[in-house]
Amino acid sequence: MAFWAMLALSAGLTTSQAQAPVQSQAPASTAAPSQVEDVEVVARMRAAQVRERVDAFIETNMAPAPGRPLARWNKPVCVATAYLSPQYAQAVIDRVAARIIEAGGDVAGPGCKADVMIVGSENGAETAQTLVKSDPRGFRPSRSATDRGSVALRRFQEGDAPVRWWHVSLPVNVDTGELAVHLDGEEYPTNTVRDASRLRTNVRDDLARIVVVVDFSKTANIRMSALADYVAFVALAQVNPDGDTAGQDTILNLFADPQNITELSQWDRDYLAALYKAVPNRPNVRQQARGIAEEVIRQRNGR
């Protein structure tokens, strides 16, 4: 969210150099165009590398609802905790809220209804099972388009992951915010098609609810600030719990390298800021990835 200006130094010819014979000036005049050309080539290479990196990061680590583009928050987010001691609860809420604002989102005020619920536990699988059993419709409000499906929900309730999460997203009309998908037990929505375009649709995908279960029996060697950043990342983006983060500079590698990873990386910040800056109503993930990549490139060029 903060950008840095780039400084450039230029050197001029002295009076004695200006009076030098023509032969001595020839090399200098031919050197300048090749210098500029080299800079342009490097810039193109870096932009191409960023696009490839964004594509790979999304493909291996993001998991939107099947057939849907990536979702994000498009309203002020209410962050809450359960079963965390008061001293940790407020610190985690404040850290997650700060990361939401840093990414370009907004946070709701006191007394809001929880959108991101962070649940502390000593047995993550058991807690996840209890949560799903108590509110099955809340975890799967529709048979399609709102979540990763029944198989993924079973996996959320199994295993020994130190942190597990479940995203619910909703396709909504980009102009009105009204639902564009049928929810179980409710009437089918009616949506007016504004115009037809290959670049944008009338529907965007909004994050609606996220539950994050933190198993503190498996996080003893993790800094609380780093853990809160990890939670913040999965609260802001539809991270695939089975993603492949090997070799990538991201907070998602926290549990593989807890000694060296202490906060969101610059790449994490760039990706999240680009996700929240890019046009949200692209027709598919591939076009969305292009938009995110262009935003990352703009951010880096602006430093």
Side-chain angles (χ1 to χ4, degrees):
M1 325 233 313
F3 296 94
W4 294 265
M6 297 181 64
L7 303 178
L9 298 177
S10 60
L13 293 176
T14 65
T15 303
S16 61
Q17 288 172 323
Q19 295 173 347
V22 174
Q23 301 94 294
S24 64
Q25 295 177 3
S29 64
T30 57
S34 59
Q35 257 189 328
V36 174
E37 185 178 353
D38 289 344
V39 172
E40 289 177 352
V41 170
V42 170
R44 290 194 195 101
M45 289 178 61
R46 287 177 177 170
Q49 290 168 350
V50 169
R51 292 186 185 97
E52 291 177 1
R53 187 175 180 185
V54 169
D55 286 344
F57 190 75
I58 290 175
E59 183 177 354
T60 59
N61 296 309
M62 297 297 112
R68 301 302 310 165
L70 298 171
R72 72 185 192 202
W73 294 106
N74 285 289
K75 66 168 188 173
V77 184
C78 184
V79 183
T81 65
Y83 306 112
L84 269 69
S85 62
Q87 67 180 96
Y88 290 130
Q90 193 59 53
V92 169
I93 290 173
D94 290 345
R95 183 87 172 193
V96 173
R99 294 309 192 191
I100 291 172
I101 293 171
E102 183 183 71
D106 195 7
V107 293
C112 56
K113 182 180 179 180
D115 300 308
V116 176
M117 177 58 74
I118 304 163
V119 183
S121 174
E122 293 297 324
N123 187 323
E126 184 177 285
T127 298
Q129 291 164 17
T130 300
L131 291 171
V132 174
K133 185 177 181 180
S134 65
D135 186 19
R137 188 178 172 189
F139 281 83
R140 294 211 67 202
S142 175
R143 296 302 92 183
S144 63
T146 62
D147 56 78
R148 295 181 60 220
S150 58
V151 173
L153 186 59
R154 283 198 299 271
R155 297 194 68 174
F156 168 72
Q157 301 172 77
E158 300 170 350
D160 58 355
V163 180
R164 64 191 71 208
W165 55 88
W166 186 256
H167 296 88
V168 174
S169 58
L170 296 174
V172 301
N173 186 289
V174 73
D175 294 320
T176 66
E178 295 178 351
L179 279 174
V181 64
H182 174 248
L183 301 183
D184 292 350
E186 298 187 11
E187 295 183 0
Y188 283 86
T190 300
N191 285 281
T192 302
V193 177
R194 178 182 56 188
D195 51 36
S197 171
R198 294 183 179 181
L199 299 179
R200 302 190 185 192
T201 71
N202 295 313
V203 175
R204 70 168 189 249
D205 286 65
D206 288 0
L207 287 174
R209 180 189 186 195
I210 298 175
V211 177
V212 183
V213 178
V214 181
D215 190 334
F216 285 109
S217 70
K218 298 178 172 63
T219 62
N221 64 333
I222 304 295
R223 295 178 180 87
M224 182 56 71
S225 58
L227 182 60
D229 271 6
Y230 185 98
V231 170
F233 194 96
V234 302
L236 281 161
Q238 293 167 300
V239 177
N240 185 353
D242 301 314
D244 181 8
T245 58
Q248 300 184 26
D249 181 20
T250 173
I251 190 70
L252 299 178
N253 281 318
L254 176 62
F255 294 98
D257 190 12
Q259 298 305 312
N260 294 314
I261 297 178
T262 59
E263 62 179 357
L264 291 179
S265 68
Q266 187 61 56
W267 168 256
D268 293 329
R269 292 183 174 95
D270 287 348
Y271 175 79
L272 291 174
L275 172 65
Y276 279 76
K277 181 71 173 176
V279 174
N281 56 319
R282 297 295 189 186
N284 54 58
V285 174
R286 177 172 294 183
Q287 290 191 25
Q288 204 172 17
R290 292 175 189 166
I292 292 171
E294 293 305 316
E295 291 298 334
V296 172
I297 292 168
R298 288 191 190 95
Q299 292 173 49
R300 296 193 166 196
N301 288 343
R303 293 193 186 119

